[in-house]
Amino acid sequence: MKIKDSFILGVIMSVAIFFVFYGVINFFTSYPYFSQSRDSLWVYIISLVPNLLLSRFMLVKWEYESLGKGVLLTTLVCILLIMYIVLK
């Protein structure tokens, strides 16, 4: 099955993967959802790791340039938001 190479689809896929992994990690830890302490920073960072791996595969191995750019941009924006919210 061929995936359409679309920037918007990359953004949507990246946000969905982030929230899925964030929910799974929070389900298995004792931190409440969207806690804003420095101790929970690792939950956000680990939730972004699959996006970085996905962007690498899309850009280099599978040659989906627009999808990879969408995933990479969303990951960068999420990192900046996490730094602003948690480290404020």
Side-chain angles (χ1 to χ4, degrees):
M1 176 166 44
K2 184 101 169 145
I3 298 174
K4 183 178 178 185
D5 192 19
S6 169
F7 182 80
I8 300 297
L9 184 61
V11 170
I12 292 168
M13 190 182 313
S14 176
V15 170
I17 290 172
F18 171 75
F19 281 116
V20 165
F21 274 90
Y22 181 76
V24 167
I25 291 171
N26 263 330
F27 181 73
F28 291 110
T29 61
S30 61
Y31 293 111
Y33 285 99
F34 300 108
S35 69
Q36 295 180 0
S37 68
R38 290 177 186 249
D39 296 333
S40 67
L41 180 62
W42 69 274
V43 176
Y44 293 111
I45 300 301
I46 290 179
S47 298
L48 287 171
V49 169
N51 283 341
L52 293 174
L53 295 174
L54 182 67
S55 67
R56 190 261 180 216
F57 278 108
M58 287 189 175
L59 288 171
V60 176
K61 188 169 184 172
W62 299 328
E63 297 178 1
Y64 289 123
E65 187 174 339
S66 295
L67 272 171
K69 286 181 181 179
V71 171
L72 203 57
L73 178 69
T74 306
T75 305
L76 175 67
V77 169
C78 285
I79 289 172
L80 293 175
L81 284 174
I82 290 168
M83 288 174 57
Y84 177 74
I85 291 171
V86 176
L87 300 177
K88 185 164 90 170

